């Protein structure tokens, strides 16, 4: 296997890569379930509260608004006290996945330009970023937001590094295999480290294996950030 080229900059996705977004999502589902709704109905409410006109509008408020609309149609009382307790519980820890902080700190210790991309409704994403505590590790200007699904992360990468950016000298950490495949296709020299979130029912292990088959030495994946951190350390330090 060829070694990584000299890495100068690292870009991280936020949700489900650094932040335990799936745990948040399951708690939102539970807010619907305590009112008697099934898991499928809870997922439907989540889906309807997530996007509008190719923009991500997902937030705690958008979910509760859609939930209340359904409850009103079904003539079910909203359990405000229980929901309030669940919201408090959601905000009781930083929400970071294990080894997320260690990974960011390692990159900063190596003086790598380090960025976090947050795709979603900005006010909601800012709340999660604030809760995560990563502002104590990264400069605030290196935390970037977009709610544009169509342009997404490719658009931010081009805004950051120029319209002719090829991915050279850059490592990208993400969680979505389909999106990562598109990014690797667009940026031919980019290397990707991808976290498999087994609780995310949109993807299966086979999706990550197929991604590895397509891009081979440009892609590394694991369920654990610790594994990706160790892999990144080894490849980066072997190049020094």
């Amino acid at each position: 296997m060829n070694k990584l080229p000299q890495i100068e900059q690292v870009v991280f996705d936020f949700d489900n890569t650094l932040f335990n977004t799936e745990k948040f999502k399951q708690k939102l589902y539970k807010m619907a379930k305590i009112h008697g709704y099934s898991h499928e109905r809870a997922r439907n409410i989540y889906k309807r509260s997530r996007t509008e006109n190719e923009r991500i509008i997902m937030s705690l408020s958008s979910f509760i608004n859609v939930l209340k609309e359904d409850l009103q149609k079904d003539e079910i009382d909203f359990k405000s006290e229980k929901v309030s307790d669940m919201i408090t519980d959601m905000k009781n820890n930083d929400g970071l996945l294990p080894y997320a902080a260690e990974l960011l700190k390692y990159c900063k210790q190596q003086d790598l330009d380090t960025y976090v991309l947050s795709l979603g409704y900005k006010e909601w994403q800012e709340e999660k970023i604030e809760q995560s505590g990563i502002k104590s590790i990264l400069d605030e200007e290196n935390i970037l937001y977009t709610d544009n699904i169509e342009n997404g992360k490719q658009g931010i990468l081009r805004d950051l590094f120029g319209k002719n950016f090829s991915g050279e000298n850059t490592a990208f950490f993400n969680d979505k295999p389909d999106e990562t495949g598109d990014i690797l296709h667009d940026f031919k020299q980019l290397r990707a480290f991808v976290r498999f979130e087994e609780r995310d029912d949109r993807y299966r292990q086979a999706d990550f294996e197929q991604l590895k088959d397509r891009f081979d030495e440009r892609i590394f994946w694991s369920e654990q950030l610790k594994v990706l951190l160790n892999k990144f350390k080894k490849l980066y330090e072997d190049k020094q």
Side-chain angles (χ1 to χ4, degrees):
M1 178 179 291
N2 295 330
K3 294 180 180 179
L4 276 171
Q6 181 66 47
I7 292 297
E8 298 175 358
Q9 52 208 18
V10 186
V11 182
F12 291 90
D13 172 59
F14 181 65
D15 284 298
N16 272 341
T17 303
L18 298 173
F19 194 74
N20 196 346
T21 309
E22 197 62 29
K23 184 176 181 179
F24 261 49
K25 187 189 296 185
Q26 295 303 324
K27 288 184 180 294
L28 293 177
Y29 290 172
K30 189 174 180 181
M31 287 182 193
K33 291 177 180 179
I34 63 172
H35 293 89
Y37 288 142
S38 67
H39 181 72
E40 286 304 312
R41 183 70 177 274
R43 287 182 61 191
N44 177 265
I45 292 170
Y46 178 86
K47 184 176 180 180
R48 286 156 48 214
S49 64
R50 187 173 183 272
T51 60
E52 183 177 272
N53 298 325
E54 294 300 313
R55 296 278 178 176
I56 297 176
I57 62 166
M58 182 66 218
S59 69
L60 182 59
S61 296
S62 70
F63 181 85
I64 290 175
N65 286 340
V66 175
L67 172 61
K68 284 182 174 179
E69 288 173 3
D70 281 19
L71 292 173
Q72 185 174 16
K73 291 176 185 176
D74 296 332
E75 299 183 346
I76 300 172
D77 292 333
F78 178 64
K79 298 182 179 181
S80 57
E81 187 172 338
K82 286 188 176 181
V83 169
S84 178
D85 289 343
M86 294 175 72
I87 293 171
T88 299
D89 181 59
M90 289 170 70
K91 298 181 177 181
N92 267 345
N93 60 70
D94 62 21
L96 286 178
L97 288 157
Y99 288 89
E102 288 85 347
L103 188 46
L104 290 172
K105 289 175 182 176
Y106 176 79
C107 293
K108 292 296 289 182
Q109 288 165 1
Q110 309 312 311
D111 292 323
L112 296 169
D113 291 332
T114 305
Y115 302 88
V116 169
L117 307 187
S118 185
L119 181 61
Y121 180 59
K122 187 176 181 182
E123 290 184 7
W124 173 238
Q125 295 303 106
E126 285 179 329
E127 284 186 34
K128 293 188 290 183
I129 290 282
E130 196 69 40
Q131 180 178 342
S132 74
I134 66 172
K135 286 184 179 179
S136 66
I137 305 172
L138 297 183
D139 296 331
E140 189 164 357
E141 58 264 29
N142 284 28
I143 302 171
L144 309 170
Y145 302 90
T146 182
D147 62 0
N148 191 314
I149 298 173
E150 184 176 356
N151 291 331
K153 293 165 189 171
Q154 286 97 321
I156 293 184
L157 290 171
R158 291 189 177 98
D159 288 343
L160 266 178
F161 306 125
K163 64 179 182 179
N164 296 320
F165 175 63
S166 66
E168 185 178 8
N169 306 118
T170 305
F172 182 69
F173 284 78
N174 200 27
D175 70 297
K176 299 180 181 66
D178 48 359
E179 178 182 71
T180 302
D182 291 341
I183 289 171
L184 287 170
H185 177 269
D186 288 351
F187 306 113
K188 304 297 185 185
Q189 298 184 60
L190 192 76
R191 299 296 181 106
F193 295 77
V194 189
R195 177 178 174 269
F196 170 36
E197 172 53 75
E198 63 179 355
R199 295 168 298 178
D200 188 342
D201 52 19
R202 293 173 296 177
Y203 305 114
R204 298 291 181 266
Q205 181 172 320
D207 298 321
F208 294 81
E209 292 170 345
Q210 290 168 11
L211 185 66
K212 179 67 175 174
D213 289 341
R214 285 178 64 196
F215 296 100
D216 193 19
E217 63 184 25
R218 295 176 59 204
I219 179 79
F220 307 90
W221 72 273
S222 174
E223 295 179 32
Q224 300 178 23
L225 281 182
K226 181 179 181 180
V227 173
L228 295 179
L229 170 59
N230 290 336
K231 175 65 72 174
F232 180 73
K233 278 184 177 182
K234 185 176 187 307
L235 291 168
Y236 178 76
E237 292 168 7
D238 281 353
K239 191 65 178 175
Q240 303 307 300

